[in-house]
Amino acid sequence: MNKIQITGGRLIDPANGIDRTGDVYIADGKILSVAARPDGFDAGFTIDAAGQIVCPGFIDLSTRLREPGQSRKGTFKSETRAAAKAGFTTLCLQPDTVPVIDTPAVAELVRELAEKAGYPQIHPIAALTQKLEGIELSSMLSLQRAGCIAVGHANRPVKNLLILRRAMEYAASHDLLLIFRPNDSWLGNNGCAHEGMLATRYGLPSIPEAAETIALAQCLELAELTGCRIHFGQLSCKRSVIKIQQARNDGLRVTADVAMHQLHLTENDMIPFDSAYHVLPPLRTEADKQYLRTGLAAGTIDAIVSDHQPHDLDAKLGAFPETEPGISALETVLPLLLKLADDGALTLFEGIAALTSKPAQILGLKRGALTPGLQADVCIFDPAETWTIEAANWKSRGVNTPFWGQTMKGRVTHTVQAGCLIHPTA
């Protein structure tokens, strides 16, 4: 499929400040033109996007596909089908696979699995330390050369701050991006819910917001000391947003994201002992949720992530504290984004920027835009179409979502990755 014409859609391209009706022309895997028809262009395939929105393909900064190592929960094939159905064209894979992404050989395995699944735009995040044990540094430069887009530590703790400092100095010397989820695991103490009314009422082990903010403050101090570029992942509370804004005012090179579910759910939404609500960081207060929304609209929080974590049924059975945290989240990102816009939390233009151009800037990728000459990654969605979350239309192998059975508004109709139509497929 060498040439594609997308006609009559509402084009929203935050990177280029575009919000208007028009056509997109694709040839040889690249954006050939926007609005103006190129001379002699003869489309091999035409997509009628009338009444729909055409935007750059979504970029996810935090995904788990469960391969290698946990294929009972998900595979590259199953989870990339879910990603394509959800409008995502680029995924960043967290390093806590089995084995951990701490050698070039594992990074190469990730690339091979991605190619085999027909979804090549999966970027591994290299482990900051060997086996994510927080003791010995990994060979970050070798991992970068093997295709890793950044370094990180997933949800695992680094054993001490000296090791984190050395890792940040190493990363800074090679201009490597460090993706860091702030969490003091000792303060967290294996908790499973926010330290608040719900945890007290039901006797659940709790995690104070200080577990996040203290780890964030420590990392910010080290960022100032080392000059390392830091991206903070999955913020969950008001005080973290305030600290990020203060750090930016001080000139630190820091960015941040928030998981989509944190913008919609709070501890008050949790059905007691329903493990679909077991996430890390935990669902916080209504005030935290509202401040996360404010921080996103103000640009203090740069990006929205899915934090996709599919699980098998066994992982979510048992007592709430004993279940594994995480939501199968890719397929609900778009309708939840549209709900944010409907709620007035941010504009659709701002929301699309948080899923396209801003993640691309953080990663240093020439993607996330409908700029002529760039790779043709495009998402087309109908903002008015409704659908119900159920087995008949769910692609991910993980059904662990608190939104199961709910009716959502907004559905992706077409996803184009590097000029190839990956959703729908034949």
Side-chain angles (χ1 to χ4, degrees):
M1 195 178 298
N2 293 324
K3 294 184 178 181
I4 301 175
Q5 181 178 355
I6 303 169
T7 64
R10 177 187 170 189
L11 309 181
I12 299 182
D13 179 11
N16 292 301
I18 293 173
D19 187 352
R20 65 173 186 267
T21 301
D23 297 356
V24 177
Y25 301 88
I26 297 169
D28 300 320
K30 298 183 182 297
I31 302 291
L32 186 61
S33 176
V34 175
R37 185 184 185 89
D39 293 338
F41 185 88
D42 186 15
F45 184 70
T46 300
I47 299 172
D48 181 4
Q52 300 188 61
I53 291 172
V54 180
C55 67
F58 300 150
I59 299 170
D60 194 6
L61 294 170
S62 180
T63 310
R64 288 169 175 84
L65 304 179
R66 299 309 187 194
E67 274 192 316
Q70 295 179 305
S71 56
R72 69 188 183 281
K73 297 186 178 189
T75 64
F76 271 54
K77 183 176 180 179
S78 68
E79 304 316 299
T80 56
R81 286 177 65 198
K85 178 196 168 223
F88 285 89
T89 55
T90 300
L91 304 174
C92 293
L93 183 65
Q94 288 285 355
D96 53 351
T97 52
V98 182
V100 169
I101 306 174
D102 61 358
T103 66
V106 181
E108 177 62 31
L109 174 60
V110 168
R111 287 204 306 272
E112 290 175 359
L113 289 169
E115 293 287 347
K116 187 176 180 181
Y119 192 104
Q121 292 176 193
I122 296 174
H123 298 283
I125 299 169
L128 195 66
T129 65
Q130 293 180 25
K131 298 182 181 179
L132 292 175
E133 292 178 343
I135 299 173
E136 296 183 44
L137 299 187
S138 65
S139 181
M140 289 181 261
L141 184 58
S142 296
L143 286 159
Q144 182 189 39
R145 290 171 176 169
C148 293
I149 201 163
V151 294
H153 223 246
N155 292 342
R156 309 283 182 85
V158 178
K159 295 297 184 184
N160 65 59
L161 291 179
L162 179 60
I163 291 170
L164 182 58
R165 175 186 177 176
R166 297 300 183 225
M168 291 170 69
E169 287 172 338
Y170 188 107
S173 67
H174 297 289
D175 196 29
L176 274 165
L177 174 69
L178 171 59
I179 297 178
F180 185 81
R181 187 176 85 74
N183 175 46
D184 187 301
S185 61
W186 289 270
L187 278 174
N189 196 28
N190 297 315
C192 61
H194 170 65
E195 188 173 276
M197 290 188 301
L198 182 132
T200 301
R201 184 182 307 149
Y202 294 102
L204 295 173
S206 61
I207 303 173
E209 64 178 36
E212 177 171 306
T213 57
I214 288 174
L216 177 64
Q218 290 176 329
C219 194
L220 286 172
E221 289 290 335
L222 291 176
E224 186 170 12
L225 181 66
T226 63
C228 184
R229 287 192 299 131
I230 311 290
H231 176 77
F232 290 98
Q234 295 88 71
L235 299 187
S236 70
C237 62
K238 173 181 177 178
R239 289 175 56 212
S240 290
V241 180
I242 293 171
K243 289 181 183 297
I244 292 293
Q245 185 58 61
Q246 290 172 338
R248 287 186 167 177
N249 292 342
D250 292 339
L252 293 186
R253 295 191 300 166
V254 296
T255 52
D257 69 51
V258 60
M260 182 62 87
H261 56 262
Q262 294 283 1
L263 298 168
H264 292 273
L265 300 173
T266 71
E267 62 173 348
N268 297 328
D269 296 302
M270 292 176 65
I271 299 171
F273 310 116
D274 184 344
S275 62
Y277 293 88
H278 184 187
V279 292
L280 290 178
L283 301 174
R284 303 281 185 190
T285 67
E286 179 68 23
D288 288 317
K289 182 190 83 172
Q290 293 300 334
Y291 210 86
L292 289 169
R293 289 183 169 198
T294 300
L296 182 64
T300 304
I301 298 175
D302 303 86
I304 299 171
V305 300
S306 74
D307 197 24
H308 180 66
Q309 299 186 52
H311 284 297
D312 57 352
L313 293 177
D314 287 347
K316 287 292 188 177
L317 292 175
F320 190 97
E322 297 170 1
T323 60
E324 294 188 48
I327 290 175
S328 179
L330 283 168
E331 293 165 80
T332 55
V333 167
L334 173 64
L336 292 177
L337 175 67
L338 295 175
K339 189 175 187 305
L340 281 177
D342 288 344
D343 291 346
L346 75 171
T347 66
L348 183 57
F349 191 90
E350 291 168 338
I352 289 175
L355 285 168
T356 58
S357 57
K358 290 189 174 183
Q361 291 168 5
I362 290 166
L363 297 171
L365 291 174
K366 292 183 178 180
R367 294 180 200 163
L370 301 179
T371 306
L374 288 190
Q375 182 172 292
D377 292 343
V378 183
C379 169
I380 305 170
F381 64 89
D382 184 339
E385 184 172 342
T386 59
W387 59 285
T388 301
I389 300 174
E390 57 188 5
N393 56 31
W394 193 255
K395 298 295 184 183
S396 172
R397 190 170 289 187
V399 297
N400 50 300
T401 169
F403 304 106
W404 193 262
Q406 294 187 24
T407 297
M408 295 282 186
K409 186 176 76 169
R411 187 179 72 86
V412 174
T413 60
H414 298 82
T415 304
V416 177
Q417 182 188 69
C420 296
L421 185 69
I422 61 172
H423 173 76
T425 55

